[in-house]
Amino acid sequence: LVLTLILAESSVELVPNEIAHHPAIIASARRKQREPSDLILDQSYHHAAIIRLRNAGAGRGRPDIVHFSLLTALGSPLNAQRELQCFVHTRDDHVITIDSRARLPRNTDRFTSLLEKLYQDSVVPSTGASLMSLSNQTLQTLIERQRLDQVVALSTQGIDKPLEQVADELQHFKKPAVLVGGFPDGHFSHETVKLSEKTYRIDKRRLDAWTVVGRTIYDYEKSIGLKRF
Ligand SMILES: C[S@@+](CC[C@H](N)C(=O)[O-])C[C@H]1O[C@@H](n2cnc3c(N)ncnc32)[C@H](O)[C@@H]1O
C-alpha cells in the first residue's frame, strides 16, 4: 500500500519570456549568475515583474509552497516507512518526481536553486541515484502512468467530509492518490476536478497547502494503523 501525494497545478515555472527583461529579473539573474530564462519565477524577488503578467500574475511564482509541503511530506513517518510517493505537477504541465530518500535543502532559496538545476539538467543530482527528476507531463498522463485506483482532490469547493473519513476511504484502495493544490489562491481547473473521483472540503477554513499535506498524511497513517513504536 502506497499513498500518492500530488501537489497539483503548483506555482512553479521558469521566468516567462514576456518579463525576462524586467530589471527585477535581470538583477536576480546577475546575482545568481544565470540566464534570466533559467530562473525559477519567485514572488519573493520578482514581484515587480510578476504583476506585469496577465491577471497581475495572481498566484504565480510560489516555489515556497512546494518546498514547505515537500518538507512536511518527506519528513513524515509514512514516508520513512516508504509508503508515500510524492509528485509535483506544475501549472504548465511539468511533473517532478521526488525520491522518498531525498533530503531537500531546509532553506527555500537553496531549494529554488535546486529547482533551477533540475530544470536545466532534468535530474538532480547529475551523478548517482536520482533524487528529483523532471518531465513534461500532464496531470492526466501522470495519473494514468501511476495506475492510481482512486484519486481524491482536496478543495474548498468540494463536498464537506472530515479528513479522518477521507483517509478511511482511501485506505480501502491499493494505490490511492490525494491532490492538494500547490498554489496560494484560486481553485483547481475543471480538468483537474474531472480527473478526480471525489472532491472534498475538509474544513470550513481555507488552509495552507502544507497544513493540508501534514494532516492528510497523519490521518492516513492513523487509518492504516502505521506502527509508531
Ligand atoms: C492555499 S489553498 C489554495 C486556495 C484555494 N482558494 C482553496 O481554498 O482551495 C491550497 C490547497 O490546500 C487545499 N485546501 C486548503 N483548504 C482546504 C479545505 N478547507 N478543504 C480542502 N482542501 C483545502 C486545497 O488542495 C488547496 O488547493
Side-chain angles (χ1 to χ4, degrees):
L1 293 182
V2 173
L3 175 68
T4 298
L5 169 73
I6 304 178
L7 296 168
E9 299 183 32
S10 301
S11 302
V12 169
E13 63 184 310
L14 289 174
V15 163
N17 282 337
E18 61 261 49
I19 54 169
H21 299 293
H22 189 282
I25 305 282
I26 300 287
S28 210
R30 282 219 185 95
R31 203 177 52 248
K32 295 187 116 180
Q33 298 184 322
R34 281 192 180 274
E35 290 299 319
S37 54
D38 290 342
L39 295 180
I40 291 284
L41 192 66
D42 189 344
Q43 269 285 353
S44 310
Y45 300 100
H46 309 146
H47 175 74
I50 289 176
I51 53 172
R52 301 282 171 104
L53 292 170
R54 193 154 44 89
N55 238 342
R60 293 178 68 173
R62 292 291 308 272
D64 57 303
I65 296 176
V66 164
H67 184 222
F68 297 156
S69 300
L70 286 179
L71 285 179
T72 304
L74 294 174
S76 66
L78 188 70
N79 185 59
Q81 208 60 36
R82 299 285 186 84
E83 291 179 43
L84 179 71
Q85 168 72 67
C86 300
F87 294 99
V88 176
H89 163 260
T90 70
R91 63 195 310 282
D92 61 356
D93 283 336
H94 283 82
V95 168
I96 302 171
T97 304
I98 299 105
D99 189 281
S100 57
R101 291 159 301 184
R103 209 180 125 73
L104 299 181
R106 272 35 187 163
N107 173 286
T108 302
D109 285 344
R110 290 188 58 200
F111 173 71
T112 307
S113 296
L114 189 65
L115 286 180
E116 282 159 357
K117 207 166 159 12
L118 179 67
Y119 270 72
Q120 200 156 43
D121 301 340
S122 298
V123 56
V124 288
S126 42
T127 55
S130 122
L131 294 180
M132 288 207 282
S133 59
L134 178 80
S135 59
N136 267 307
Q137 226 177 109
T138 62
L139 186 58
Q140 180 168 4
T141 311
L142 173 66
I143 289 171
E144 285 166 6
R145 288 201 184 147
Q146 289 303 309
R147 300 174 186 279
L148 302 168
D149 55 1
Q150 175 75 342
V151 178
V152 166
L154 299 181
S155 161
T156 50
Q157 294 186 324
I159 295 168
D160 286 357
K161 185 165 277 219
L163 201 41
E164 298 85 342
Q165 287 178 25
V166 178
D168 271 345
E169 243 178 63
L170 290 172
Q171 56 111 2
H172 294 300
F173 294 88
K174 278 213 179 78
K175 232 186 149 194
V178 176
L179 307 186
V180 176
F183 47 83
D185 310 294
H187 298 286
F188 283 133
S189 65
H190 291 300
E191 293 86 78
T192 299
V193 174
K194 266 196 275 167
L195 291 169
S196 320
E197 272 100 7
K198 308 269 172 56
T199 303
Y200 293 131
R201 179 174 90 143
I202 54 148
D203 199 295
K204 65 178 182 188
R205 287 151 280 236
R206 168 194 164 282
L207 304 169
D208 286 324
W210 54 87
T211 305
V212 175
V213 165
R215 297 171 79 92
T216 303
I217 294 172
Y218 179 59
D219 277 331
Y220 182 79
E221 287 173 358
K222 282 193 296 180
S223 77
I224 61 167
L226 188 90
K227 289 219 165 48
R228 295 186 210 182
F229 300 102

